mmCIF file of all heavy atoms in Angstrom:
data_model
loop_
_atom_site.group_PDB
_atom_site.id
_atom_site.type_symbol
_atom_site.label_atom_id
_atom_site.label_comp_id
_atom_site.label_asym_id
_atom_site.label_seq_id
_atom_site.Cartn_x
_atom_site.Cartn_y
_atom_site.Cartn_z
ATOM 1 N N SER A 1297 -3.742 -3.970 -1.830
ATOM 2 C CA SER A 1297 -3.160 -5.188 -2.388
ATOM 3 C C SER A 1297 -2.544 -4.934 -3.780
ATOM 4 O O SER A 1297 -3.020 -4.082 -4.530
ATOM 5 C CB SER A 1297 -4.240 -6.279 -2.557
ATOM 6 O OG SER A 1297 -3.729 -7.398 -3.205
ATOM 7 N N THR A 1298 -1.538 -5.693 -4.065
ATOM 8 C CA THR A 1298 -0.877 -5.590 -5.429
ATOM 9 C C THR A 1298 -1.451 -6.595 -6.396
ATOM 10 O O THR A 1298 -0.903 -6.702 -7.516
ATOM 11 C CB THR A 1298 0.645 -5.782 -5.243
ATOM 12 O OG1 THR A 1298 0.845 -7.078 -4.722
ATOM 13 C CG2 THR A 1298 1.275 -4.755 -4.424
ATOM 14 N N ILE A 1299 -2.531 -7.300 -6.035
ATOM 15 C CA ILE A 1299 -3.103 -8.293 -6.909
ATOM 16 C C ILE A 1299 -3.464 -7.739 -8.306
ATOM 17 O O ILE A 1299 -3.169 -8.340 -9.295
ATOM 18 C CB ILE A 1299 -4.285 -9.011 -6.243
ATOM 19 C CG1 ILE A 1299 -3.802 -9.870 -5.096
ATOM 20 C CG2 ILE A 1299 -5.076 -9.799 -7.272
ATOM 21 C CD1 ILE A 1299 -4.924 -10.512 -4.282
ATOM 22 N N GLY A 1300 -4.151 -6.607 -8.325
ATOM 23 C CA GLY A 1300 -4.571 -6.046 -9.579
ATOM 24 C C GLY A 1300 -3.559 -5.143 -10.202
ATOM 25 O O GLY A 1300 -3.827 -4.503 -11.269
ATOM 26 N N ALA A 1301 -2.376 -4.934 -9.648
ATOM 27 C CA ALA A 1301 -1.433 -3.999 -10.103
ATOM 28 C C ALA A 1301 -0.590 -4.537 -11.272
ATOM 29 O O ALA A 1301 -0.515 -5.727 -11.549
ATOM 30 C CB ALA A 1301 -0.483 -3.648 -8.973
ATOM 31 N N VAL A 1302 0.007 -3.563 -12.024
ATOM 32 C CA VAL A 1302 0.846 -3.896 -13.130
ATOM 33 C C VAL A 1302 2.093 -4.605 -12.582
ATOM 34 O O VAL A 1302 2.564 -4.224 -11.486
ATOM 35 C CB VAL A 1302 1.268 -2.563 -13.840
ATOM 36 C CG1 VAL A 1302 2.202 -2.819 -14.963
ATOM 37 C CG2 VAL A 1302 -0.014 -1.905 -14.313
ATOM 38 N N PRO A 1303 2.691 -5.583 -13.314
ATOM 39 C CA PRO A 1303 3.853 -6.293 -12.795
ATOM 40 C C PRO A 1303 4.997 -5.322 -12.366
ATOM 41 O O PRO A 1303 5.682 -5.614 -11.388
ATOM 42 C CB PRO A 1303 4.281 -7.194 -13.971
ATOM 43 C CG PRO A 1303 2.995 -7.418 -14.664
ATOM 44 C CD PRO A 1303 2.181 -6.184 -14.516
ATOM 45 N N LYS A 1304 5.215 -4.288 -13.083
ATOM 46 C CA LYS A 1304 6.297 -3.335 -12.710
ATOM 47 C C LYS A 1304 6.002 -2.712 -11.347
ATOM 48 O O LYS A 1304 6.942 -2.508 -10.541
ATOM 49 C CB LYS A 1304 6.404 -2.213 -13.776
ATOM 50 C CG LYS A 1304 7.537 -1.276 -13.564
ATOM 51 C CD LYS A 1304 7.649 -0.258 -14.691
ATOM 52 C CE LYS A 1304 8.771 0.709 -14.429
ATOM 53 N NZ LYS A 1304 8.887 1.691 -15.528
ATOM 54 N N GLN A 1305 4.745 -2.426 -11.046
ATOM 55 C CA GLN A 1305 4.371 -1.860 -9.758
ATOM 56 C C GLN A 1305 4.599 -2.914 -8.646
ATOM 57 O O GLN A 1305 5.029 -2.603 -7.541
ATOM 58 C CB GLN A 1305 2.981 -1.365 -9.761
ATOM 59 C CG GLN A 1305 2.781 -0.160 -10.670
ATOM 60 C CD GLN A 1305 1.338 0.245 -10.852
ATOM 61 O OE1 GLN A 1305 0.414 -0.487 -10.509
ATOM 62 N NE2 GLN A 1305 1.133 1.401 -11.431
ATOM 63 N N ARG A 1306 4.242 -4.115 -8.939
ATOM 64 C CA ARG A 1306 4.385 -5.234 -7.924
ATOM 65 C C ARG A 1306 5.899 -5.329 -7.577
ATOM 66 O O ARG A 1306 6.261 -5.466 -6.402
ATOM 67 C CB ARG A 1306 4.022 -6.558 -8.510
ATOM 68 C CG ARG A 1306 2.513 -6.785 -8.492
ATOM 69 C CD ARG A 1306 2.188 -8.186 -8.908
ATOM 70 N NE ARG A 1306 0.799 -8.233 -9.407
ATOM 71 C CZ ARG A 1306 0.313 -9.283 -9.986
ATOM 72 N NH1 ARG A 1306 1.014 -10.360 -10.187
ATOM 73 N NH2 ARG A 1306 -0.966 -9.250 -10.401
ATOM 74 N N LYS A 1307 6.787 -5.251 -8.578
ATOM 75 C CA LYS A 1307 8.212 -5.396 -8.356
ATOM 76 C C LYS A 1307 8.754 -4.181 -7.518
ATOM 77 O O LYS A 1307 9.622 -4.333 -6.728
ATOM 78 C CB LYS A 1307 8.949 -5.542 -9.604
ATOM 79 C CG LYS A 1307 8.735 -6.901 -10.286
ATOM 80 C CD LYS A 1307 9.508 -7.049 -11.547
ATOM 81 C CE LYS A 1307 9.238 -8.387 -12.166
ATOM 82 N NZ LYS A 1307 9.910 -8.606 -13.438
ATOM 83 N N THR A 1308 8.157 -2.991 -7.790
ATOM 84 C CA THR A 1308 8.575 -1.840 -7.085
ATOM 85 C C THR A 1308 8.225 -1.931 -5.602
ATOM 86 O O THR A 1308 9.061 -1.645 -4.719
ATOM 87 C CB THR A 1308 7.930 -0.537 -7.659
ATOM 88 O OG1 THR A 1308 8.332 -0.479 -9.048
ATOM 89 C CG2 THR A 1308 8.326 0.663 -6.970
ATOM 90 N N VAL A 1309 6.993 -2.378 -5.367
ATOM 91 C CA VAL A 1309 6.574 -2.559 -3.931
ATOM 92 C C VAL A 1309 7.441 -3.615 -3.232
ATOM 93 O O VAL A 1309 7.849 -3.417 -2.115
ATOM 94 C CB VAL A 1309 5.032 -2.997 -3.923
ATOM 95 C CG1 VAL A 1309 4.691 -3.463 -2.507
ATOM 96 C CG2 VAL A 1309 4.195 -1.873 -4.344
ATOM 97 N N GLU A 1310 7.708 -4.705 -3.930
ATOM 98 C CA GLU A 1310 8.575 -5.740 -3.350
ATOM 99 C C GLU A 1310 9.990 -5.226 -3.091
ATOM 100 O O GLU A 1310 10.617 -5.595 -2.096
ATOM 101 C CB GLU A 1310 8.549 -6.975 -4.247
ATOM 102 C CG GLU A 1310 8.923 -8.233 -3.523
ATOM 103 C CD GLU A 1310 8.627 -9.490 -4.331
ATOM 104 O OE1 GLU A 1310 7.462 -9.647 -4.759
ATOM 105 O OE2 GLU A 1310 9.521 -10.325 -4.465
ATOM 106 N N ALA A 1311 10.473 -4.447 -4.010
ATOM 107 C CA ALA A 1311 11.858 -3.868 -3.850
ATOM 108 C C ALA A 1311 11.932 -2.936 -2.678
ATOM 109 O O ALA A 1311 13.025 -2.792 -2.079
ATOM 110 C CB ALA A 1311 12.274 -3.138 -5.112
ATOM 111 N N MET A 1312 10.800 -2.341 -2.298
ATOM 112 C CA MET A 1312 10.801 -1.462 -1.083
ATOM 113 C C MET A 1312 10.740 -2.322 0.183
ATOM 114 O O MET A 1312 10.790 -1.726 1.279
ATOM 115 C CB MET A 1312 9.641 -0.512 -1.186
ATOM 116 C CG MET A 1312 9.835 0.435 -2.294
ATOM 117 S SD MET A 1312 8.655 1.717 -2.708
ATOM 118 C CE MET A 1312 7.384 1.778 -1.668
ATOM 119 N N GLY A 1313 10.549 -3.620 0.049
ATOM 120 C CA GLY A 1313 10.538 -4.490 1.236
ATOM 121 C C GLY A 1313 9.187 -4.726 1.776
ATOM 122 O O GLY A 1313 8.999 -5.210 2.904
ATOM 123 N N LEU A 1314 8.135 -4.388 0.987
ATOM 124 C CA LEU A 1314 6.756 -4.541 1.448
ATOM 125 C C LEU A 1314 6.200 -5.842 0.844
ATOM 126 O O LEU A 1314 6.096 -5.992 -0.363
ATOM 127 C CB LEU A 1314 5.907 -3.367 0.976
ATOM 128 C CG LEU A 1314 6.328 -2.016 1.546
ATOM 129 C CD1 LEU A 1314 5.631 -0.864 0.834
ATOM 130 C CD2 LEU A 1314 6.076 -1.953 3.071
ATOM 131 N N ARG A 1315 5.825 -6.792 1.695
ATOM 132 C CA ARG A 1315 5.311 -8.071 1.235
ATOM 133 C C ARG A 1315 3.841 -8.199 1.526
ATOM 134 O O ARG A 1315 3.104 -8.881 0.741
ATOM 135 C CB ARG A 1315 6.099 -9.173 1.911
ATOM 136 C CG ARG A 1315 7.580 -9.150 1.755
ATOM 137 C CD ARG A 1315 7.997 -9.753 0.443
ATOM 138 N NE ARG A 1315 9.458 -9.878 0.375
ATOM 139 C CZ ARG A 1315 10.243 -9.037 -0.293
ATOM 140 N NH1 ARG A 1315 9.733 -7.985 -0.847
ATOM 141 N NH2 ARG A 1315 11.535 -9.196 -0.309
ATOM 142 N N LYS A 1316 3.364 -7.719 2.708
ATOM 143 C CA LYS A 1316 1.986 -7.915 3.090
ATOM 144 C C LYS A 1316 1.339 -6.570 3.374
ATOM 145 O O LYS A 1316 2.005 -5.617 3.614
ATOM 146 C CB LYS A 1316 1.927 -8.729 4.340
ATOM 147 C CG LYS A 1316 2.433 -10.127 4.178
ATOM 148 C CD LYS A 1316 2.316 -10.908 5.507
ATOM 149 C CE LYS A 1316 2.779 -12.325 5.344
ATOM 150 N NZ LYS A 1316 2.615 -13.104 6.543
ATOM 151 N N ILE A 1317 0.001 -6.533 3.300
ATOM 152 C CA ILE A 1317 -0.740 -5.330 3.564
ATOM 153 C C ILE A 1317 -0.521 -4.934 5.035
ATOM 154 O O ILE A 1317 -0.423 -5.743 5.928
ATOM 155 C CB ILE A 1317 -2.256 -5.518 3.274
ATOM 156 C CG1 ILE A 1317 -2.472 -5.750 1.813
ATOM 157 C CG2 ILE A 1317 -3.079 -4.337 3.729
ATOM 158 C CD1 ILE A 1317 -3.887 -5.965 1.370
ATOM 159 N N ASN A 1318 -0.414 -3.654 5.251
ATOM 160 C CA ASN A 1318 -0.198 -3.013 6.567
ATOM 161 C C ASN A 1318 1.256 -3.256 7.076
ATOM 162 O O ASN A 1318 1.569 -2.906 8.201
ATOM 163 C CB ASN A 1318 -1.185 -3.478 7.615
ATOM 164 C CG ASN A 1318 -2.586 -2.924 7.350
ATOM 165 O OD1 ASN A 1318 -2.700 -1.850 6.830
ATOM 166 N ND2 ASN A 1318 -3.575 -3.701 7.651
ATOM 167 N N LYS A 1319 2.113 -3.772 6.240
ATOM 168 C CA LYS A 1319 3.573 -3.858 6.559
ATOM 169 C C LYS A 1319 4.195 -2.490 6.402
ATOM 170 O O LYS A 1319 3.851 -1.828 5.460
ATOM 171 C CB LYS A 1319 4.210 -4.884 5.668
ATOM 172 C CG LYS A 1319 5.688 -4.969 5.763
ATOM 173 C CD LYS A 1319 6.192 -5.860 6.838
ATOM 174 C CE LYS A 1319 7.655 -6.131 6.672
ATOM 175 N NZ LYS A 1319 8.436 -5.850 7.794
ATOM 176 N N THR A 1320 5.019 -2.112 7.310
ATOM 177 C CA THR A 1320 5.657 -0.796 7.278
ATOM 178 C C THR A 1320 7.140 -0.905 7.232
ATOM 179 O O THR A 1320 7.747 -1.764 7.931
ATOM 180 C CB THR A 1320 5.270 0.029 8.498
ATOM 181 O OG1 THR A 1320 3.823 0.143 8.519
ATOM 182 C CG2 THR A 1320 5.852 1.411 8.488
ATOM 183 N N VAL A 1321 7.797 -0.079 6.397
ATOM 184 C CA VAL A 1321 9.258 -0.011 6.358
ATOM 185 C C VAL A 1321 9.734 1.441 6.490
ATOM 186 O O VAL A 1321 8.957 2.345 6.125
ATOM 187 C CB VAL A 1321 9.809 -0.632 5.035
ATOM 188 C CG1 VAL A 1321 9.532 -2.126 4.966
ATOM 189 C CG2 VAL A 1321 9.237 0.113 3.854
ATOM 190 N N GLU A 1322 10.957 1.614 6.961
ATOM 191 C CA GLU A 1322 11.518 2.950 6.987
ATOM 192 C C GLU A 1322 12.601 3.012 5.956
ATOM 193 O O GLU A 1322 13.476 2.168 5.925
ATOM 194 C CB GLU A 1322 12.092 3.230 8.375
ATOM 195 C CG GLU A 1322 11.097 3.480 9.421
ATOM 196 C CD GLU A 1322 11.684 3.849 10.784
ATOM 197 O OE1 GLU A 1322 12.880 4.177 10.820
ATOM 198 O OE2 GLU A 1322 10.952 3.847 11.753
ATOM 199 N N MET A 1323 12.557 4.033 5.140
ATOM 200 C CA MET A 1323 13.594 4.227 4.049
ATOM 201 C C MET A 1323 14.044 5.641 4.109
ATOM 202 O O MET A 1323 13.356 6.538 4.579
ATOM 203 C CB MET A 1323 12.918 3.887 2.721
ATOM 204 C CG MET A 1323 12.464 2.455 2.591
ATOM 205 S SD MET A 1323 11.947 2.047 0.934
ATOM 206 C CE MET A 1323 13.523 1.660 0.189
ATOM 207 N N PRO A 1324 15.288 5.852 3.643
ATOM 208 C CA PRO A 1324 15.822 7.229 3.614
ATOM 209 C C PRO A 1324 15.041 8.090 2.617
ATOM 210 O O PRO A 1324 14.526 7.571 1.608
ATOM 211 C CB PRO A 1324 17.310 7.040 3.161
ATOM 212 C CG PRO A 1324 17.296 5.735 2.476
ATOM 213 C CD PRO A 1324 16.250 4.898 3.128
ATOM 214 N N ASP A 1325 15.002 9.397 2.906
ATOM 215 C CA ASP A 1325 14.270 10.287 2.029
ATOM 216 C C ASP A 1325 15.339 10.769 0.970
ATOM 217 O O ASP A 1325 16.024 11.753 1.195
ATOM 218 C CB ASP A 1325 13.722 11.474 2.863
ATOM 219 C CG ASP A 1325 12.856 12.400 2.018
ATOM 220 O OD1 ASP A 1325 12.632 12.121 0.857
ATOM 221 O OD2 ASP A 1325 12.399 13.400 2.584
ATOM 222 N N ASN A 1326 15.277 10.146 -0.180
ATOM 223 C CA ASN A 1326 16.179 10.561 -1.279
ATOM 224 C C ASN A 1326 15.404 10.456 -2.559
ATOM 225 O O ASN A 1326 14.298 9.872 -2.623
ATOM 226 C CB ASN A 1326 17.450 9.738 -1.272
ATOM 227 C CG ASN A 1326 17.209 8.263 -1.510
ATOM 228 O OD1 ASN A 1326 16.346 7.853 -2.213
ATOM 229 N ND2 ASN A 1326 17.990 7.475 -0.797
ATOM 230 N N PRO A 1327 15.909 11.023 -3.667
ATOM 231 C CA PRO A 1327 15.197 11.040 -4.933
ATOM 232 C C PRO A 1327 14.840 9.615 -5.494
ATOM 233 O O PRO A 1327 13.762 9.476 -6.082
ATOM 234 C CB PRO A 1327 16.144 11.737 -5.924
ATOM 235 C CG PRO A 1327 16.975 12.600 -5.032
ATOM 236 C CD PRO A 1327 17.138 11.861 -3.770
ATOM 237 N N ALA A 1328 15.658 8.639 -5.229
ATOM 238 C CA ALA A 1328 15.376 7.282 -5.730
ATOM 239 C C ALA A 1328 14.141 6.729 -5.022
ATOM 240 O O ALA A 1328 13.250 6.159 -5.694
ATOM 241 C CB ALA A 1328 16.579 6.407 -5.507
ATOM 242 N N VAL A 1329 14.092 6.845 -3.728
ATOM 243 C CA VAL A 1329 12.972 6.349 -2.973
ATOM 244 C C VAL A 1329 11.638 7.117 -3.313
ATOM 245 O O VAL A 1329 10.613 6.595 -3.433
ATOM 246 C CB VAL A 1329 13.302 6.411 -1.447
ATOM 247 C CG1 VAL A 1329 12.044 6.033 -0.640
ATOM 248 C CG2 VAL A 1329 14.424 5.470 -1.126
ATOM 249 N N ARG A 1330 11.840 8.426 -3.429
ATOM 250 C CA ARG A 1330 10.653 9.327 -3.817
ATOM 251 C C ARG A 1330 10.145 8.820 -5.192
ATOM 252 O O ARG A 1330 8.885 8.865 -5.379
ATOM 253 C CB ARG A 1330 11.089 10.794 -3.921
ATOM 254 C CG ARG A 1330 11.327 11.401 -2.562
ATOM 255 C CD ARG A 1330 10.043 11.793 -1.887
ATOM 256 N NE ARG A 1330 10.253 12.444 -0.598
ATOM 257 C CZ ARG A 1330 9.343 12.949 0.147
ATOM 258 N NH1 ARG A 1330 8.084 12.897 -0.218
ATOM 259 N NH2 ARG A 1330 9.641 13.522 1.274
ATOM 260 N N GLY A 1331 10.991 8.461 -6.125
ATOM 261 C CA GLY A 1331 10.539 8.023 -7.416
ATOM 262 C C GLY A 1331 9.764 6.690 -7.314
ATOM 263 O O GLY A 1331 8.761 6.527 -8.018
ATOM 264 N N MET A 1332 10.256 5.796 -6.435
ATOM 265 C CA MET A 1332 9.559 4.520 -6.212
ATOM 266 C C MET A 1332 8.169 4.764 -5.666
ATOM 267 O O MET A 1332 7.168 4.188 -6.078
ATOM 268 C CB MET A 1332 10.380 3.634 -5.289
ATOM 269 C CG MET A 1332 11.683 3.163 -5.870
ATOM 270 S SD MET A 1332 12.725 2.335 -4.657
ATOM 271 C CE MET A 1332 12.036 0.725 -4.618
ATOM 272 N N ILE A 1333 8.114 5.688 -4.702
ATOM 273 C CA ILE A 1333 6.824 6.046 -4.089
ATOM 274 C C ILE A 1333 5.851 6.627 -5.084
ATOM 275 O O ILE A 1333 4.653 6.289 -5.093
ATOM 276 C CB ILE A 1333 7.045 6.950 -2.880
ATOM 277 C CG1 ILE A 1333 7.789 6.296 -1.764
ATOM 278 C CG2 ILE A 1333 5.698 7.560 -2.387
ATOM 279 C CD1 ILE A 1333 8.254 7.250 -0.649
ATOM 280 N N GLN A 1334 6.411 7.450 -5.975
ATOM 281 C CA GLN A 1334 5.538 8.084 -6.990
ATOM 282 C C GLN A 1334 4.899 7.032 -7.908
ATOM 283 O O GLN A 1334 3.742 7.218 -8.287
ATOM 284 C CB GLN A 1334 6.368 9.073 -7.809
ATOM 285 C CG GLN A 1334 5.650 9.951 -8.732
ATOM 286 C CD GLN A 1334 4.728 10.938 -8.042
ATOM 287 O OE1 GLN A 1334 4.967 11.290 -6.882
ATOM 288 N NE2 GLN A 1334 3.701 11.379 -8.753
ATOM 289 N N GLN A 1335 5.649 6.014 -8.226
ATOM 290 C CA GLN A 1335 5.120 4.938 -9.104
ATOM 291 C C GLN A 1335 3.965 4.173 -8.456
ATOM 292 O O GLN A 1335 3.078 3.700 -9.200
ATOM 293 C CB GLN A 1335 6.203 3.918 -9.484
ATOM 294 C CG GLN A 1335 7.148 4.435 -10.555
ATOM 295 C CD GLN A 1335 8.022 3.282 -11.044
ATOM 296 O OE1 GLN A 1335 8.365 2.395 -10.274
ATOM 297 N NE2 GLN A 1335 8.372 3.339 -12.296
ATOM 298 N N VAL A 1336 4.012 4.026 -7.143
ATOM 299 C CA VAL A 1336 3.010 3.214 -6.440
ATOM 300 C C VAL A 1336 2.218 3.966 -5.447
ATOM 301 O O VAL A 1336 1.763 3.462 -4.413
ATOM 302 C CB VAL A 1336 3.612 1.908 -5.868
ATOM 303 C CG1 VAL A 1336 4.147 0.992 -6.930
ATOM 304 C CG2 VAL A 1336 4.710 2.272 -4.886
ATOM 305 N N ARG A 1337 2.081 5.268 -5.686
ATOM 306 C CA ARG A 1337 1.447 6.155 -4.657
ATOM 307 C C ARG A 1337 0.007 5.730 -4.333
ATOM 308 O O ARG A 1337 -0.498 6.084 -3.247
ATOM 309 C CB ARG A 1337 1.496 7.631 -5.100
ATOM 310 C CG ARG A 1337 0.731 7.928 -6.376
ATOM 311 C CD ARG A 1337 1.003 9.338 -6.822
ATOM 312 N NE ARG A 1337 0.384 9.662 -8.116
ATOM 313 C CZ ARG A 1337 0.917 9.377 -9.279
ATOM 314 N NH1 ARG A 1337 2.109 8.800 -9.358
ATOM 315 N NH2 ARG A 1337 0.249 9.656 -10.419
ATOM 316 N N HIS A 1338 -0.692 5.055 -5.239
ATOM 317 C CA HIS A 1338 -2.018 4.615 -4.995
ATOM 318 C C HIS A 1338 -2.110 3.342 -4.093
ATOM 319 O O HIS A 1338 -3.155 2.980 -3.612
ATOM 320 C CB HIS A 1338 -2.796 4.374 -6.327
ATOM 321 C CG HIS A 1338 -2.119 3.331 -7.140
ATOM 322 N ND1 HIS A 1338 -0.928 3.582 -7.796
ATOM 323 C CD2 HIS A 1338 -2.478 2.122 -7.464
ATOM 324 C CE1 HIS A 1338 -0.589 2.457 -8.478
ATOM 325 N NE2 HIS A 1338 -1.537 1.587 -8.298
ATOM 326 N N LEU A 1339 -0.969 2.732 -3.852
ATOM 327 C CA LEU A 1339 -0.928 1.501 -3.034
ATOM 328 C C LEU A 1339 -0.300 1.726 -1.656
ATOM 329 O O LEU A 1339 -0.476 0.866 -0.796
ATOM 330 C CB LEU A 1339 -0.018 0.445 -3.736
ATOM 331 C CG LEU A 1339 -0.504 0.024 -5.161
ATOM 332 C CD1 LEU A 1339 0.534 -0.944 -5.783
ATOM 333 C CD2 LEU A 1339 -1.868 -0.605 -5.116
ATOM 334 N N VAL A 1340 0.395 2.814 -1.469
ATOM 335 C CA VAL A 1340 1.090 3.048 -0.186
ATOM 336 C C VAL A 1340 0.676 4.349 0.513
ATOM 337 O O VAL A 1340 0.065 5.236 -0.101
ATOM 338 C CB VAL A 1340 2.596 3.089 -0.409
ATOM 339 C CG1 VAL A 1340 3.158 1.741 -0.932
ATOM 340 C CG2 VAL A 1340 3.037 4.239 -1.317
ATOM 341 N N LYS A 1341 0.980 4.393 1.824
ATOM 342 C CA LYS A 1341 0.797 5.554 2.618
ATOM 343 C C LYS A 1341 2.181 5.968 3.117
ATOM 344 O O LYS A 1341 2.913 5.131 3.585
ATOM 345 C CB LYS A 1341 -0.164 5.270 3.837
ATOM 346 C CG LYS A 1341 -0.386 6.455 4.717
ATOM 347 C CD LYS A 1341 -1.359 6.139 5.850
ATOM 348 C CE LYS A 1341 -0.597 5.348 6.915
ATOM 349 N NZ LYS A 1341 -1.343 5.126 8.106
ATOM 350 N N VAL A 1342 2.503 7.251 3.008
ATOM 351 C CA VAL A 1342 3.837 7.733 3.348
ATOM 352 C C VAL A 1342 3.738 8.809 4.482
ATOM 353 O O VAL A 1342 2.883 9.680 4.430
ATOM 354 C CB VAL A 1342 4.529 8.342 2.113
ATOM 355 C CG1 VAL A 1342 5.948 8.806 2.510
ATOM 356 C CG2 VAL A 1342 4.568 7.394 0.955
#
């Protein structure tokens, strides 16, 4: 959950299209997406 997360991390998760727990999205493997994942690596599985 993003409940206890920093606001910047919440926005990053939402920008990736993830709204609910166990929701999955497919994104291209590029440096921008890798950077987003790095910021919230403790909240997501890749």
